[in-house]
Each structure stands twice: as structure tokens, then as C-alpha cells.
Amino acid sequence: GENVEQHPSTLSVQEGDSAVIKCTYSDSASNYFPWYKQELGKGPQLIIDIRSNVGEKKDQRIAVTLNKTAKHFSLHITETQPEDSAVYFCAATFGWAGSYQLTFGKGTKLSVIP
Amino acid sequence: NAGVTQTPKFQVLKTGQSMTLQCAQDMNHNSMYWYRQDPGMGLRLIYYSASEGTTDKGEVPNGYNVSRLNKREFSLRLESAAPSQTSVYFCASSEIRDRKAFFGQGTRLTVV
């Protein structure tokens, strides 16, 4: 099955700086890579995703890049704000046409220092 | 829209007790999932249901059973709870075509 490694496990940045979280995956058949943000006491919330036919996707201050050859993808948050503080999870899908199972990384706790 | 609704939000069980975690979605999604989240372990798939009438094991199915009651509802049952099942449980749903998964708020379960 799929294995997803996520680094770093914790990340502290000053408000206004950029944050980068990196993930690698093992199954070359994986073709969908979402990122989730989880605030304390809440469920994961999808913030951005990328499919394997695209190398980069941006949504305001958030961007995701994908390198299929190296089997890694990254989340970039620019101009960080205190409300960006949360745990972020990357994921990759494998499966068949009937269902797509997400395999998650272990998470990165991001702290944005005002 | 409520999205994905889980009940209860908190539960304490004694070892050996049974209980059912309920999940309902109002997004007309075909696929539904149960995950558990443990500190430092990320989210691990317990069971999933690709569509109404089908269920399959995920990564960590031992000690659990599921029922896809209808298209909206997917329940998770612990027949004989063990302390190792202390965790936060999340239900999710997705549509096959775009694969975006939406999660509920979670059930925090403690087995003593």
C-alpha cells in the first residue's frame, strides 16, 4: 500500500514569513494529493489539492507543488498569520475506480509567532 | 448544509462495553470512511464504503464493524471495547469523481 512521509513534524515561523511543509509518497500510481488543516478540537478541513497532471496550484497565500518523478509534494504558505497556526496533514490516494482511500502523513504542527 | 455530522462528540466506555458511533452526510456523496487519529500517528483508515451496500477493510479494521445503513449514514461499532481503542474517530465522505473528502468534527472515545 501507499506510504506517506511528512516533514517537519513541528514548524515555528514569525508572522509574515513563509512556511513550507514537504511530503513524499511511495506508490507511483497515486494521482491525487490533498492538504488538510486541523484546528484544535476540530475535524480536518481540506485547504488545497493537486492532481498528478498538474505541477503547481495556488489559492491566495497557499500553494502546492508536485514532483511526480521524485514522488514528493509540498505546501507553501506565504505571509503567514496567527490564524494559520494549526496541524497540517498531507495525503495521497490510491485505490480503484469505486473508491479512493486517503493515506495521510503524520502531520506538521505549525506555530505562527506574532 | 451540515456536511458530515457525527454523534456522540464524547464517550467514555468501560473495557468490554459496546457502542456504535453514528455518521451522517447531507452532500449526496457515494463514498464514506471511518478514520482514527492517535497522537503522532496521523489518520488511519479503519473501514470504508465505496457506495451504498458495500464495505471494505482499511488499514486498522480489527475490533471494529461497520454498517452502511443507506446512502447518508455509515456507522462504526465497537463490540467489546479495549483501552487500545481510545482515540479520536473521524467520519468522512467524498464523491468518486472529484475525490475531495470532507470530515466530521470527530468523536473522542476513552476506554477505561
Side-chain angles (χ1 to χ4, degrees), chain B residues 38-54:
Chain B
D38 303 293
M41 297 295 292
L43 292 108
R44 293 181 292 169
L45 183 65
I46 305 170
Y47 270 93
Y48 67 99
S49 171
S51 60
E52 187 178 355
T54 69

Side-chain angles (χ1 to χ4, degrees), chain A residues 31-32 36 38 41-46 49 51 57 89 93 96-107, chain B residues 31 33 35 37 40-43 45 48-50 56-58 90 94 96-105:
Chain A
N31 56 10
Y32 174 65
Y36 285 84
Q38 187 177 27
K42 296 186 177 181
Q45 179 185 8
L46 179 67
D49 56 9
R51 300 176 194 275
K57 183 177 179 180
F89 293 95
T93 58
W96 46 278
S99 180
Y100 295 92
Q101 302 168 48
L102 287 170
T103 299
F104 284 85
K106 290 183 168 52
Chain B
S31 299
Y33 312 83
Y35 289 87
Q37 184 176 37
M41 297 295 292
L43 292 108
L45 183 65
Y48 67 99
S49 171
D56 284 286
K57 296 178 180 179
F90 288 100
S94 69
I96 292 172
R97 188 174 60 180
D98 69 11
R99 289 180 272 178
K100 295 180 187 291
F102 296 87
F103 284 78
Q105 292 297 295

Side-chain angles (χ1 to χ4, degrees), chain A:
Chain A
E2 177 64 276
N3 182 50
V4 177
E5 300 281 342
Q6 182 172 347
H7 299 281
S9 56
T10 60
L11 179 60
S12 291
V13 299
Q14 291 291 136
E15 182 177 356
D17 287 349
S18 295
V20 180
I21 302 170
K22 299 181 179 181
C23 290
T24 60
Y25 61 99
S26 61
D27 189 344
S28 57
S30 290
N31 56 10
Y32 174 65
F33 308 92
W35 285 88
Y36 285 84
K37 175 183 181 182
Q38 187 177 27
E39 296 174 336
L40 196 62
K42 296 186 177 181
Q45 179 185 8
L46 179 67
I47 56 172
I48 195 167
D49 56 9
I50 191 167
R51 300 176 194 275
S52 58
N53 59 347
V54 175
E56 182 177 0
K57 183 177 179 180
K58 294 181 76 172
D59 183 3
Q60 299 183 335
R61 298 186 296 109
I62 294 174
V64 58
T65 58
L66 171 66
N67 183 325
K68 286 190 297 181
T69 303
K71 290 191 282 188
H72 67 70
F73 56 113
S74 300
L75 178 71
H76 304 253
I77 306 174
T78 59
E79 300 173 18
T80 53
Q81 300 168 5
E83 52 265 38
D84 294 328
S85 296
V87 179
Y88 291 81
F89 293 95
C90 63
T93 58
F94 75 99
W96 46 278
S99 180
Y100 295 92
Q101 302 168 48
L102 287 170
T103 299
F104 284 85
K106 290 183 168 52
T108 297
K109 183 176 182 180
L110 173 64
S111 299
V112 180
I113 304 163

Side-chain angles (χ1 to χ4, degrees), chain B residues 68-81:
Chain B
R68 184 74 182 266
L69 304 170
N70 47 55
K71 190 172 185 179
R72 289 187 63 247
E73 299 174 288
F74 188 39
S75 63
L76 178 72
R77 183 162 178 83
L78 288 70
E79 291 291 351
S80 179

